[in-house]
Amino acid sequence: VVKNTLLELGCGDKKTIMVYNKMDKYISQAFDERLDIQVIDELLQQLKNNCITTTQCDCAFISATQKEHIEELRTIILNAVREMYGIR
């Protein structure tokens, strides 16, 4: 849906970063609290890899309220800006 909307707006060729917020809520609802954190991390990494493959763009999974993975999002944005402007 997002890719199609960007294409309709004439900006489908622009760098895209998919940001999935409220991951704290997703984790609490999708995973049993007794599940080992390492297993959860592996499953979330698989989810992220699948999203990157499916959307063919960078993806960030964050929790804005818990301030989780914000630094990862900043790094993705910084790298995108550096790539766009040829900054090292």
Side-chain angles (χ1 to χ4, degrees), residues 39-69:
V39 173
I40 293 172
D41 288 342
E42 289 173 10
L43 292 169
L44 290 174
Q45 187 60 49
Q46 288 176 8
L47 176 64
K48 183 175 183 177
N49 291 342
N50 288 341
C51 286
I52 291 169
T53 301
T54 302
T55 63
Q56 297 183 352
C57 63
D58 289 323
C59 299
F61 295 89
I62 68 167
S63 168
T65 56
Q66 300 295 318
K67 297 183 177 27
E68 293 175 348
H69 304 286

Side-chain angles (χ1 to χ4, degrees), residues 4-16:
N4 289 338
T5 302
L6 291 174
L7 286 170
E8 289 173 11
L9 294 172
C11 51
D13 61 334
K14 305 296 183 199
K15 175 80 173 171
T16 305

Side-chain angles (χ1 to χ4, degrees), residues 66-83:
Q66 300 295 318
K67 297 183 177 27
E68 293 175 348
H69 304 286
I70 302 299
E71 205 52 46
E72 178 184 348
L73 175 58
R74 286 182 179 154
T75 300
I76 291 170
I77 294 169
L78 180 61
N79 289 338
V81 170
R82 286 179 173 161
E83 183 181 310

Side-chain angles (χ1 to χ4, degrees), residues 3-47:
K3 289 282 189 181
N4 289 338
T5 302
L6 291 174
L7 286 170
E8 289 173 11
L9 294 172
C11 51
D13 61 334
K14 305 296 183 199
K15 175 80 173 171
T16 305
I17 301 169
M18 300 294 285
V19 180
Y20 299 89
N21 191 19
K22 301 197 181 296
M23 287 305 292
D24 55 323
K25 187 172 184 176
Y26 171 76
I27 290 168
S28 70
Q29 291 179 355
F31 299 109
D32 188 293
E33 62 188 34
R34 295 170 294 212
L35 193 60
D36 186 63
I37 190 69
Q38 189 174 12
V39 173
I40 293 172
D41 288 342
E42 289 173 10
L43 292 169
L44 290 174
Q45 187 60 49
Q46 288 176 8
L47 176 64

